[in-house]
Structures are given as structure tokens and as C-alpha cells.
């Protein structure tokens, strides 16, 4: 689970207006969600259209849709080219489907069940439990198994976000000393493909659930790395593949409480050689009051997952030690994600 960076409020504002801007942030997020869900950006991909045309295509009330698009256009999401006509902008283009920089699925995911969980966030603060689980009676992963359409959006949203991070992870860490890299719960394989393409002598193993691996084969073949990447299916709560001298986990540890996170790391420890490495790609919460999106992603994990959280360097050191690793360094990237390296001890 992960969130993009958020703009900070204008520090020159009077305090009351700065607080109002932050507190009313859901006005913006809900408007963007509506536009994404309706597929407005897809309808505008070839040319500007009138609001009447857009309303007919989406089955909405034209005057109300106009008010939404007018508000979004004031923020640079869409632009009004003439009275009642709208066109794409670079921000709105991100709400298209099936384009390289798409964030449509991520916006929809945040706007549906996970938005409802935030509506009951007080439950999480009062009890320490998941407000998502409080509402739906099951954890998010159980919910996704029972709701295929939500699961599809969830998978697409992770791919949306992975596009932003995979290349920078591949460029930020020196993989040259690794012979075989195992990507734990690597989804369709965007991260391992990026790393393999940057390291021609490296071999990879992509490990995920069986239904995910079926889709990943086609993706890795299209990326031209399937010959160097084995596919393995299973659950990291049971075991992980042998054969790697390094194991990478991107946005996996944050989904789980300490006990289960340590268990996942221990299973990697069990199958790797004495000189093996674990690489955990997560946002590492810095000390002090500086703005950092990971501090709010941590709250999202509190609301949506059952025990998930972002962690500080000190907390990762404890996790690694309990799993049999020594944290050796934290490698920053151009994004807020860092690569936390541990060696087997």
C-alpha cells in the first residue's frame, strides 16, 4: 500500500486559512475521484468536448458535472477552452487509462473502500485497530479475494505507483555483486524487470501468488527479460524460493505488524546463503518535524491494514536484528522510498 507525495499548504497564508485548506482537502480528492471514476480524461484524449457531450457519455447531470470540472480546472486538472468545453492538461492526462503515466486506478482505489475507512479513522485512533476491518468485517486482503473488481483496481493501482519507483530503485542501488535476486511479492514484475534491464548479467526470480504469476509471465516476456527470470508461486507466510543471494521486498513490510514482518524476513533468512542480503524498499520516517509523506502513509496503514505501519531507521534495525540480519546501510533514491540493506548474520 502506498501514497504519492502531497503538496504542502502555502506557508504565507494566515494560520486559519492554512488549516482550512488542509481540512477541506477531501473536497479536491473527491472531485478528482469522480472525474477518474467517470473516465472523463479518456473521453477527452482526442479532442476537447462540451460538458453536455461528457454528461451524455457518462450518464451524469450536465450542470453538476460542469461545476466539478470547473473547480478542477481551477487547479490545473482539465482546462476550460471555451464556455462549457473542457480539454486535457498534463495533470488530467494522468487520469487516463492505459497510458504510461496513468494514476487513474490509484485515484479510484483511494476513493472507494479506503476512503470509507478514513471516514471511520477515529475508530483506529481510539482502539489501535483497522477502521477498514471495523467497517467490512475482514482485513483488506480477505476483502479483495471476495471482491474481484476491487482487486483488479488494487492491482492496477500498485502498478501505477510502481512505475514511479522501479526505475529509480534500479538506478540508486549497485546490484553488480548480486548473482540472483529474488523479488518477493513482486506483482507483475515491473521492479525485477527494471533491475534486470539495468544489470545484464543478473538473474532474477519473481515470487508472488499463483494468479499474479500467470499475468507476470506475459509482462516479463514483453519486457525482454523472461529468459533471465524464473517465476515462482506461493505465499510468503509459508515459504519463499531458495536460490537467491539477495532478496528484495518493495512495499511489503509496511503492510504488516512487527510479528508478521519479522516472520517474512526470517523466511528469507532461512533460504539464503551465509553472505546473503535482504533489501527492503520502504519510506523511512525521519526524526523531527520535517514534512514527509511517509508520516501520513503511516496513518493510512493504521486505517486500512491490520497492523501495518511505516517505520523509522531504529525500528527497522530492531526488525532486522530479530530476523537474523544486521542493518548495514540505508540508500536513498530520488523518491521518498529508500533501500534498507541488511546482511545475514
Amino acid at each position: 500500500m502506498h501514497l504519492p507525495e502531497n503538496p504542502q499548504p502555502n506557508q504565507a497564508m494566515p494560520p486559519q486559512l492554512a488549516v482550512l485548506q488542509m481540512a477541506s482537502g477531501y473536497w479536491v480528492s473527491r472531485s478528482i475521484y469522480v472525474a477518474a471514476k467517470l473516465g472523463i480524461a479518456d473521453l477527452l484524449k482526442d479532442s476537447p468536448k462540451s460538458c453536455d457531450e461528457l454528461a451524455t457519455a457518462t450518464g451524469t447531470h450536465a450542470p453538476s458535472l460542469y461545476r466539478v470540472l470547473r473547480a478542477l480546472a481551477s487547479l490545473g486538472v482539465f482546462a476550460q477552452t471555451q464556455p462549457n468545453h473542457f480539454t486535457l492538461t498534463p495533470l488530467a492526462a494522468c487520469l487516463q487509462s492505459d497510458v504510461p503515466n496513468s494514476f487513474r486506478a490509484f485515484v479510484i482505489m483511494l476513493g472507494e473502500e479506503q476512503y470509507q475507512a478514513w471516514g471511520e479513522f477515529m475508530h483506529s485512533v481510539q482502539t489501535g485497530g483497522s477502521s477498514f476491518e471495523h467497517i467490512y468485517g475482514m482485513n483488506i486482503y480477505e476483502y479483495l479475494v471476495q471482491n474481484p473488481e476491487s482487486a483488479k483496481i488494487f492491482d492496477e493501482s500498485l502498478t501505477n505507483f510502481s512505475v514511479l519507483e522501479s526505475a529509480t530503485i534500479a538506478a540508486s542501488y549497485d546490484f553488480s555483486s548480486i548473482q540472483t535476486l529474488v523479488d518477493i511479492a513482486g506483482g507483475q514484475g515491473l521492479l525485477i524487470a527494471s533491475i534486470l534491464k539495468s544489470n545484464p548479467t543478473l538473474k532474477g526470480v519473481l515470487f508472488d501468488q499463483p494468479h499474479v504469476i500467470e499475468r507476470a509471465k506475459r509482462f516479463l516476456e514483453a519486457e525482454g527479460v523472461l529468459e533471465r527470470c524464473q517465476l515462482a508461486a506461493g505465499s510468503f507466510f509459508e515459504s519463499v524460493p531458495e536460490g537467491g543471494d539477495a532478496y528484495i521486498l518493495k512495499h511489503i513490510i509496511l503492510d504488516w505488524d512487527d510479528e508478521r514482518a519479522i516472520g517474512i524476513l526470517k523466511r528469507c533468512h532461512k533460504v539464503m546463503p551465509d553472505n546473503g542480503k535482504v533489501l527492503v524498499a520502504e519510506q523511512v520516517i525521519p526524526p523531527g518535524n520535517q514534512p514527509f509523506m511517509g508520516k501520513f502513509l503511516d496513518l493510512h496503514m493504521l486505517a486500512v491494514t491490520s497492523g501495518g505501519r511505516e517505520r523509522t531507521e531504529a525500528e527497522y534495525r530492531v526488525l532486522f536484528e530479530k530476523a537474523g540480519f544486521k542493518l548495514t546501510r540505508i540508500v536513498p533514491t530520488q523518491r521518498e522510498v529508500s533501500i534498507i540493506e541488511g546482511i545475514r548474520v
Side-chain angles (χ1 to χ4, degrees):
M1 310 287 295
H2 16 246
L3 291 175
E5 296 178 10
N6 233 10
Q8 297 298 316
N10 185 345
Q11 299 300 316
M13 283 185 181
Q16 302 95 320
L17 292 183
V19 169
L20 176 60
Q21 183 189 61
M22 290 185 280
S24 61
Y26 70 92
W27 298 355
V28 176
S29 67
R30 295 309 286 165
S31 299
I32 295 174
Y33 162 75
V34 165
K37 184 73 172 180
L38 292 174
I40 300 295
D42 288 337
L43 296 171
L44 296 175
K45 65 181 180 180
D46 295 323
S47 63
K49 286 184 172 58
S50 72
C51 208
D52 291 336
E53 292 176 285
L54 295 172
T56 298
T58 57
T60 55
H61 181 239
S64 299
L65 181 61
Y66 170 78
R67 292 162 70 179
V68 172
L69 297 180
R70 177 180 63 183
L72 289 175
S74 73
L75 300 175
V77 184
F78 305 106
Q80 190 166 189
T81 57
Q82 54 180 299
N84 207 40
H85 284 67
F86 290 88
T87 190
L88 289 180
T89 61
L91 292 179
C94 296
L95 301 180
Q96 294 179 92
S97 306
D98 301 322
V99 295
N101 64 342
S102 174
F103 239 68
R104 182 182 181 225
F106 205 99
V107 169
I108 293 173
M109 179 190 74
L110 291 181
E112 298 193 333
E113 296 92 348
Q114 296 188 27
Y115 174 77
Q116 300 301 324
W118 271 92
E120 296 291 329
F121 187 52
M122 187 65 77
H123 170 82
S124 292
V125 177
Q126 290 176 332
T127 67
S130 165
S131 51
F132 185 100
E133 196 165 332
H134 174 65
I135 295 170
Y136 295 102
M138 64 189 81
N139 70 41
I140 186 171
Y141 299 107
E142 293 167 336
Y143 180 89
L144 293 174
V145 169
Q146 296 184 25
N147 293 271
E149 284 303 311
S150 295
K152 181 183 177 186
I153 291 292
F154 182 84
D155 289 345
E156 289 176 2
S157 73
L158 297 189
T159 299
N160 288 173
F161 198 80
S162 190
V163 168
L164 293 178
E165 293 185 332
S166 293
T168 192
I169 289 172
S172 299
Y173 186 84
D174 182 3
F175 293 91
S176 61
S177 64
I178 299 171
Q179 295 181 357
T180 301
L181 178 67
V182 182
D183 187 359
I184 301 297
Q188 71 171 354
L190 184 57
L191 176 62
I192 194 69
S194 298
I195 295 171
L196 290 174
K197 286 193 286 187
S198 299
N199 298 270
T201 63
L202 182 66
K203 294 181 180 179
V205 178
L206 178 65
F207 176 71
D208 212 310
Q209 297 179 70
H211 72 279
V212 178
I213 289 297
E214 288 177 12
R215 297 196 304 269
K217 183 177 180 180
R218 295 190 296 272
F219 176 80
L220 293 173
E221 187 172 20
E223 291 292 303
V225 297
L226 183 59
E227 291 184 358
R228 288 192 288 133
C229 190
Q230 298 179 31
L231 300 175
S235 167
F236 53 51
F237 287 123
E238 298 173 1
S239 63
V240 300
E242 298 180 359
D245 51 320
Y247 288 70
I248 190 165
L249 304 95
K250 181 171 75 71
H251 297 315
I252 303 301
I253 298 302
L254 88 162
D255 284 339
W256 308 104
D257 57 40
D258 287 357
E259 181 180 357
R260 285 179 285 187
I262 291 167
I264 295 167
L265 292 171
K266 279 185 173 180
R267 291 177 197 103
C268 296
H269 183 279
K270 180 179 179 180
V271 298
M272 68 172 58
D274 290 342
N275 61 346
K277 293 180 181 178
V278 66
L279 307 172
V280 172
E282 298 285 4
Q283 296 189 22
V284 181
I285 296 181
N289 297 322
Q290 69 187 77
F292 187 72
M293 192 59 196
K295 295 175 181 179
F296 284 91
L297 178 52
D298 179 54
L299 299 184
H300 189 70
M301 305 314 292
L302 173 60
V304 173
T305 69
S306 300
R309 60 184 301 169
E310 288 289 13
R311 294 172 172 89
T312 63
E313 177 179 345
E315 289 169 330
Y316 274 112
R317 287 190 181 278
V318 172
L319 281 190
F320 275 33
E321 180 180 348
K322 290 183 177 180
F325 294 98
K326 178 183 178 182
L327 196 159
T328 48
R329 58 178 174 150
I330 296 178
V331 180
T333 72
Q334 293 181 345
R335 304 287 177 184
E336 287 198 334
V337 66
S338 295
I339 303 161
I340 311 156
E341 179 193 79
I343 58 171
R344 190 180 192 272
V345 293

